[in-house]
Amino acid sequence: MSRPPKHPPEFYRALPKVELHRHLEGSLRLETMLEVARMHDLDVPFRQPGDLRRLVQVTPGEAHNYRNFLSKFTTLRKFFLSSEILHRVTSEAILDAAADNVRYLELRFTPVALGNQCMLSLAEVIDLVIAAAGETARQAGLQVRLIASFNRHESLQQAEEVVALAADRAGDGIVGLDIAGDEANFPADPFADLLKEARRSGLRLTVHAGEWGGPENVRQAISLFQVERVGHGVRILEDPDTTALAREAGTVFEVCPTSNIHSGIFRALEKHPLRRMMDAGLATTLNTDDPGISAIQLSDEFSLATEKLGIEVAGLRKMVLTAASAAFIDGAERSALAESIGRAFDRAMEVQNGL
């Protein structure tokens, strides 16, 4: 397989981007966590940045598996101590995306987990994130929409409350609903009726599937839950019938290569199926998942896709436009976003090529 030419990091930062799959709880800055730990004397090691880093980031030499990856959230959620901190980290997540030339961002967050730590009601958590996101998006000059998420291990009653609150705020920044969490041990079946209700209420659906579970979970998400997008979905190629189903349905995949390595789905980046998914005619997009945990930005994923997986810059452009066209906004907004992103991408390439 021939490789595209190498480019410096500045090349990838200059490209306009759309991100559909970024978790707020996985987007904290290490510097912010150190400051919060010192101020509140948290029961975490904070004297040396390296001590805390090992608890909240995937660092060289540690195991790559879903248990280790999910364990990072145990420490991360200790930092959501107050409404002020939640406002700050929401704002910083958006500012970090803007600094990486992300033009449109869908930021997902888990109200139950956040509310448990900072002792706020689910409604208060949701309203606070909406306010912080709207304020920061206006300041930073990018579009931000929010996806409310619940975890597979949470109760149906909690999920019902999240869906009801999100639906009530569907015109105020919340555009979609997601199921996340431990796919290997907690099936999504108990939430099937709730997802149908969410769709009827106007919320758009994406579900984590085909990450730690097999392609049967992707088939369930498409056929039973009728999702428009699938979070990860990288094991879909294990089943040709499900691959054909997704291709025919036009299902969009929110692919996060570095995260998939860190969580142990694939042992090496060169084994990642992103390029094969594209070759199979699947609609794919590039995302960070948890940039704070993986210590990356979206530009890093662009670089890895090109220089490790052999995806041409034209392939990056295609994925960015696919993401714009799959954004959970109305048709006119989507068309305008895709057109704007396409023009900006082409201008960036002209500048890079000295034209």
Side-chain angles (χ1 to χ4, degrees), residues 4 12 15-21 104 229 232 234 252-257 272-279 281-287 298-307 309-327 337-338 341-342 345:
Y12 298 102
L15 298 177
K17 304 170 187 72
V18 173
E19 180 156 25
L20 304 178
H21 193 121
Y104 175 91
R229 301 189 331 226
H232 301 284
V234 288
V252 175
F253 290 84
E254 306 158 355
V255 184
C256 314
H272 196 279
L274 173 60
R275 179 165 178 161
R276 289 185 286 119
M277 291 173 71
M278 297 176 72
D279 291 343
L282 297 175
T284 59
T285 66
L286 271 176
N287 307 272
L298 191 50
S299 291
D300 299 309
E301 298 296 75
F302 276 44
S303 174
L304 291 174
T306 298
E307 297 176 20
L309 299 178
I311 296 171
E312 301 281 351
V313 173
L316 299 181
R317 185 183 190 275
K318 182 178 180 179
M319 285 191 282
V320 172
L321 291 180
T322 296
S325 299
L337 176 63
I341 289 291
F345 200 105

Side-chain angles (χ1 to χ4, degrees), residues 11 25 35 50 76 93 104 142 172 198 210 217 292 297 309 320 338:
F11 172 85
E25 296 95 318
E35 182 181 330
L76 283 168
Y104 175 91
L142 77 162
D172 195 22
N217 289 348
Q297 286 293 351
L309 299 178
V320 172

Side-chain angles (χ1 to χ4, degrees), residues 158-319:
Q158 289 173 316
E160 288 172 343
E161 187 175 356
V162 170
V163 170
L165 291 168
D168 286 344
R169 292 155 176 78
D172 195 22
I174 303 278
V175 293
L177 186 73
D178 172 41
I179 303 179
D182 183 356
E183 181 190 8
N185 294 300
F186 294 90
D189 303 68
F191 304 103
D193 290 340
L194 182 59
L195 291 177
K196 292 178 184 177
E197 179 183 328
R199 193 173 60 252
R200 286 194 297 268
S201 74
L203 294 173
R204 314 284 284 277
L205 298 184
T206 178
V207 171
H208 283 62
E211 182 187 11
W212 299 317
E216 65 278 4
N217 289 348
V218 178
R219 175 174 287 276
Q220 179 192 57
I222 298 171
S223 299
L224 179 61
F225 302 152
Q226 298 180 35
V227 301
E228 298 174 60
R229 301 189 331 226
V230 169
H232 301 284
V234 288
R235 293 184 57 188
I236 188 172
L237 297 180
E238 296 174 15
D239 179 26
D241 289 341
T242 302
T243 301
L245 172 68
R247 183 172 54 243
E248 293 162 8
T251 305
V252 175
F253 290 84
E254 306 158 355
V255 184
C256 314
T258 296
S259 175
N260 296 155
I261 305 305
H262 286 170
S263 60
I265 302 171
F266 305 104
R267 300 184 67 178
L269 187 65
E270 289 78 7
K271 302 292 185 181
H272 196 279
L274 173 60
R275 179 165 178 161
R276 289 185 286 119
M277 291 173 71
M278 297 176 72
D279 291 343
L282 297 175
T284 59
T285 66
L286 271 176
N287 307 272
T288 58
D289 199 15
D290 299 289
I293 293 176
S294 292
I296 57 169
Q297 286 293 351
L298 191 50
S299 291
D300 299 309
E301 298 296 75
F302 276 44
S303 174
L304 291 174
T306 298
E307 297 176 20
K308 296 292 186 181
L309 299 178
I311 296 171
E312 301 281 351
V313 173
L316 299 181
R317 185 183 190 275
K318 182 178 180 179
M319 285 191 282

Side-chain angles (χ1 to χ4, degrees), residues 43-234:
D43 183 23
V44 296
F46 57 83
R47 303 301 176 189
Q48 298 295 328
D51 295 336
L52 180 58
R53 181 178 286 112
R54 284 185 286 273
L55 290 176
V56 298
Q57 292 182 351
V58 177
T59 55
E62 65 180 294
H64 286 176
N65 56 57
Y66 76 90
R67 291 183 182 85
N68 181 60
F69 191 84
L70 289 179
S71 73
K72 308 299 179 182
F73 288 98
T74 302
T75 303
L76 283 168
R77 287 179 175 139
K78 293 182 179 181
F79 291 86
F80 292 92
L81 294 169
S82 66
S83 57
E84 292 78 14
I85 293 172
L86 180 54
H87 187 286
R88 173 179 174 175
V89 299
T90 301
S91 178
E92 289 178 349
I94 293 167
L95 292 173
D96 288 344
D100 195 40
N101 207 13
V102 174
R103 306 291 184 87
Y104 175 91
L105 170 68
E106 287 184 5
L107 185 65
R108 60 190 69 192
F109 67 106
T110 312
V112 172
L114 295 173
N116 287 343
Q117 188 61 38
C118 60
M119 303 302 291
L120 297 174
S121 69
L122 296 185
E124 289 171 325
V125 168
I126 293 173
D127 289 339
L128 198 158
V129 172
I130 289 173
E135 173 187 318
T136 308
R138 288 189 294 271
Q139 294 172 352
L142 77 162
Q143 289 179 269
V144 177
R145 299 294 185 271
L146 299 169
I147 295 176
S149 181
F150 57 85
N151 286 312
R152 293 163 178 263
H153 65 268
E154 291 166 359
S155 71
L156 181 59
Q157 181 180 356
Q158 289 173 316
E160 288 172 343
E161 187 175 356
V162 170
V163 170
L165 291 168
D168 286 344
R169 292 155 176 78
D172 195 22
I174 303 278
V175 293
L177 186 73
D178 172 41
I179 303 179
D182 183 356
E183 181 190 8
N185 294 300
F186 294 90
D189 303 68
F191 304 103
D193 290 340
L194 182 59
L195 291 177
K196 292 178 184 177
E197 179 183 328
R199 193 173 60 252
R200 286 194 297 268
S201 74
L203 294 173
R204 314 284 284 277
L205 298 184
T206 178
V207 171
H208 283 62
E211 182 187 11
W212 299 317
E216 65 278 4
N217 289 348
V218 178
R219 175 174 287 276
Q220 179 192 57
I222 298 171
S223 299
L224 179 61
F225 302 152
Q226 298 180 35
V227 301
E228 298 174 60
R229 301 189 331 226
V230 169
H232 301 284
V234 288

